[in-house]
Amino acid sequence: MQKERTFIQKVNLFLKGLAMGGANKVPGVSGGMVAFVMGFYEELIFTFQRINGKAFKLLLTGRLKSFARYTNLQFLVLVMLGSMFSYFSISLLLDYFLKNYEQYVWAWFFGMILGSIYYISKDFGKWELKNIVGLLIGVSIGIGISFMTPAKENDNLWFVFLCGIIGVSGMTLPGLSGSFILILLGNYVLLLVDSVNVFGNVVANLFSGNFEVLKDAVKVRYLKIIAVFTAGSAFGLVSISHILGYVLKRWHQIVTAVIIGFITGSLGIVWPWKKTIYKTTEATFLLDKKGNKIVENYQRYIPDIQDKETWISIGFVIIGIIIILVIDFYGRKRK
């Protein structure tokens, strides 16, 4: 299954993984959508599908070259390295911009998703009744998820494992944001902010020769949490990809229609003009275990056309659309 790739193609694949990893961490944006738009979604799914009994048999019998070819290991390593590197680089930059320029970031993503809907739909082919039904199902689920109310944080390891399975959906299902699902489950901050930051801190300390950090009970707890979450994500990637690989082979056009619906429905999540509503009791905010305000939902509103900030946001929407059109143009020119 493994393809021969030039050095430039390998670098390009790493950068695509970087973009996918950054998207996975942003609530409302799907890494799977990035993979879909950048043209490596199906290879990603079928590669995950190759992690099966035969692959483990090749590995255990020492047939490493056959294992690498069968599992498309080079592709998987480059994409995963890009995604992992993104969590400690690009995603930190996104965190900064979300904190300081939240509306503009959402506007940019909103534009990219609008452009993505055009990008995926333009070569779809004939819209038969069954495909339209699939589209409407995808839209309905996407909109329904966007209006759900978040739960409270839960650090039980079995629940964390389940969060890994569900949260990884953003990598495998375009339009379904794994990060937003984690917000709904109440564990976004725990799993994608606090645990990741502690893990980075522990790794930095270990590389500097400070092994005392492993005696810190709080840090060890976070390491357990991120290990269990990673295990759940790995299990979810393999299991969901087998299901997706099966349905993509048999009902490719219907599945694509549902995916377009998911992406369209997710526009409600990334709508730039919204206010965060926090849970309160009388005049005080409800806080989680770490003192953070608990998100109840988002109040969306129609922007004021006379406001300067509105026009800047619209500008970012246009930039987002242009980025996808440029990717489309580059892809057509390369072909």
Side-chain angles (χ1 to χ4, degrees), residues 85-328:
F85 184 76
S86 176
Y87 264 66
F88 303 99
S89 56
I90 300 295
S91 60
L92 295 178
L93 193 64
L94 281 171
D95 288 343
Y96 169 80
F97 282 109
L98 277 169
K99 186 176 180 180
N100 295 281
Y101 307 99
E102 184 178 14
Q103 186 170 303
Y104 300 151
V105 174
W106 288 128
W108 179 50
F109 281 124
F110 188 84
M112 288 187 73
I113 292 175
L114 279 177
S116 299
I117 293 168
Y118 159 76
Y119 181 90
I120 299 167
S121 304
K122 62 184 173 57
D123 298 322
F124 182 82
K126 190 177 180 181
W127 281 94
E128 298 175 357
L129 179 60
K130 59 184 179 181
N131 298 329
I132 294 172
V133 171
L135 176 74
L136 294 175
I137 289 171
V139 170
S140 301
I141 295 173
I143 293 174
I145 289 172
S146 69
F147 286 95
M148 287 176 68
T149 302
K152 292 182 180 180
E153 184 177 291
N154 185 345
D155 62 359
N156 180 280
L157 294 182
W158 281 108
F159 186 71
V160 168
F161 185 82
L162 180 65
C163 286
I165 296 172
I166 298 172
V168 81
S169 60
M171 189 178 287
T172 51
L173 291 170
L176 189 60
S177 168
S179 296
F180 189 74
I181 294 295
L182 290 179
I183 286 179
L184 295 178
L185 294 172
N187 274 4
Y188 175 79
V189 174
L190 174 69
L191 299 174
L192 293 188
V193 180
D194 294 343
S195 295
V196 170
N197 290 340
V198 169
F199 178 74
N201 177 263
V202 169
V203 170
N205 275 280
L206 291 177
F207 272 112
S208 64
N210 177 21
F211 294 94
E212 292 294 315
V213 71
L214 295 176
K215 296 180 180 178
D216 187 322
V218 174
K219 286 185 170 59
V220 169
R221 170 180 166 269
Y222 278 113
L223 289 177
K224 286 180 181 177
I225 287 171
I226 199 167
V228 171
F229 177 66
T230 303
S233 298
F235 178 80
L237 271 178
V238 175
S239 56
I240 294 172
S241 63
H242 275 76
I243 297 168
L244 282 172
Y246 178 84
V247 297
L248 274 169
K249 280 182 179 178
R250 285 156 181 79
W251 304 289
H252 187 274
Q253 208 168 28
I254 296 175
V255 173
T256 304
V258 173
I259 287 171
I260 294 171
F262 268 141
I263 295 173
T264 305
S266 72
L267 288 171
I269 302 173
V270 294
W271 177 253
W273 298 278
K274 59 177 179 276
K275 293 178 182 176
T276 306
I277 307 298
Y278 298 101
K279 291 185 178 180
T280 58
T281 53
E282 297 179 358
T284 60
F285 289 105
L286 285 175
L287 305 176
D288 60 21
K289 295 176 183 177
K290 300 177 192 66
N292 300 312
K293 296 176 186 176
I294 299 172
V295 176
E296 181 173 4
N297 218 315
Y298 299 95
Q299 181 183 349
R300 296 161 183 83
Y301 60 90
I302 303 299
D304 182 2
I305 297 299
Q306 296 180 340
D307 189 358
K308 178 185 174 183
E309 200 172 75
T310 298
W311 287 104
I312 295 173
S313 298
I314 291 171
F316 276 101
V317 171
I318 294 169
I319 290 170
I321 294 171
I322 290 171
I323 288 172
I324 301 299
L325 294 179
V326 168
I327 291 171
D328 178 38

Side-chain angles (χ1 to χ4, degrees), residues 30-46:
S30 162
M33 185 191 73
V34 172
F36 206 97
V37 170
M38 290 188 168
F40 66 102
Y41 176 71
E42 288 193 22
E43 186 177 1
L44 181 72
I45 294 301
F46 291 128

Side-chain angles (χ1 to χ4, degrees), residues 39-101:
F40 66 102
Y41 176 71
E42 288 193 22
E43 186 177 1
L44 181 72
I45 294 301
F46 291 128
T47 298
F48 285 138
Q49 209 177 6
R50 286 298 182 95
I51 302 173
N52 53 28
K54 184 178 178 180
F56 283 110
K57 186 178 179 180
L58 290 170
L59 185 63
L60 293 172
T61 54
R63 297 167 63 186
L64 300 182
K65 286 186 178 179
S66 297
F67 170 79
R69 282 195 301 270
Y70 179 75
T71 58
N72 200 14
L73 189 62
Q74 184 186 88
F75 168 86
L76 193 59
V77 168
L78 288 170
V79 172
M80 290 297 103
L81 276 177
S83 295
M84 289 171 64
F85 184 76
S86 176
Y87 264 66
F88 303 99
S89 56
I90 300 295
S91 60
L92 295 178
L93 193 64
L94 281 171
D95 288 343
Y96 169 80
F97 282 109
L98 277 169
K99 186 176 180 180
N100 295 281
Y101 307 99

